Amino acid sequence: MTDGRSFKEVVGFRHLEELVDKVNTLSFRVKAADCLDLPEQIFQTIKIEMSKEQRAHYTELKSDLMTMKASGEMLTVQHKVALYTRFRQITGGFLANEKIEGDNPKMLALLDLIEDSSEQAIIFASYVEEIKLIYETLKKDFPCSIYYGDISQDDREEQETLFKTGKT
């Protein structure tokens, strides 16, 4: 029972092949490598110290987590994911979609990295606020595009064209 509603527990599956056949008529899978002409990915680990302000938020959240664990409070998977997300947001320079004051060491390191290259780059980020911050940081010194879920289709096509023609 949850909020006055009851749900049956799934204990097994039947007719999976039939379900797969029906879903396959409505979907297909394509690998990025088969349909996109992108340069080889470069993976590089760069260690960056958090700012004083980020460290304060990070330490506070870590302390809250330790208090929960010490009290024996049971952490659900959802709770753990939410905490992990908050830690990642802090290291990205945000807390509850608000920018953490002070310089963002990740953005400074990104600027250094971009300045050292003469090639185009695609930068991926997990959060819209971080994507916007990257764009605002880079557009001061570099022609760049921004592309994420809330961008209109027309703007997406324009950003793609600018990138494909080497203008961003």
Side-chain angles (χ1 to χ4, degrees):
M1 295 281 297
T2 304
D3 297 331
R5 297 176 292 179
S6 64
F7 301 93
K8 293 182 179 179
E9 180 182 354
V10 176
V11 294
F13 300 98
R14 293 183 289 184
H15 310 292
L16 282 179
E17 288 183 28
E18 182 181 338
L19 177 61
V20 168
D21 289 341
K22 286 182 179 183
V23 169
N24 283 342
T25 64
L26 304 170
S27 64
F28 62 93
R29 178 179 176 216
V30 178
K31 293 182 180 181
D34 296 336
C35 62
L36 297 174
D37 185 22
L38 295 174
E40 183 180 329
Q41 291 181 349
I42 299 170
F43 294 93
Q44 184 177 11
T45 301
I46 302 171
K47 295 188 184 230
I48 301 168
E49 290 292 324
M50 286 185 272
S51 70
K52 180 177 67 175
E53 295 84 4
Q54 288 172 311
R55 175 65 61 197
H57 289 292
Y58 196 94
T59 301
E60 181 182 348
L61 184 58
K62 186 175 178 182
S63 175
D64 291 347
L65 176 60
M66 292 302 156
T67 300
M68 285 184 246
K69 287 179 85 173
S71 71
E73 184 176 334
M74 183 67 166
L75 294 174
T76 65
V77 170
Q78 293 87 349
H79 200 157
K80 290 176 183 177
V81 169
L83 287 168
Y84 176 72
T85 299
R86 287 185 58 203
F87 279 120
R88 288 190 58 216
Q89 287 174 333
I90 290 169
T91 60
F94 292 90
L95 188 60
N97 292 332
E98 289 187 26
K99 186 177 180 290
I100 295 174
E101 294 302 315
D103 287 335
N104 185 325
K106 276 177 102 172
M107 293 305 117
L108 297 174
L110 178 60
L111 276 173
D112 285 343
L113 200 59
I114 296 293
E115 286 172 350
D116 291 343
S117 175
S118 61
E119 297 188 27
Q120 284 182 291
I122 298 175
I123 301 166
F124 292 91
S126 299
Y127 305 104
V128 171
E129 293 302 323
E130 193 170 12
I131 293 169
K132 289 177 181 177
L133 179 60
I134 290 167
Y135 178 72
E136 293 300 321
T137 300
L138 293 179
K139 80 175 188 176
K140 296 172 190 168
D141 299 312
F142 305 96
C144 59
S145 297
I146 187 169
Y147 194 105
Y148 61 97
D150 286 340
I151 301 289
S152 72
Q153 187 61 37
D154 289 342
D155 287 342
R156 287 176 188 227
E157 289 172 10
E158 180 182 351
Q159 299 301 322
E160 283 180 42
T161 301
L162 289 170
F163 183 80
K164 287 177 180 177
T165 59
K167 294 179 181 169
T168 62

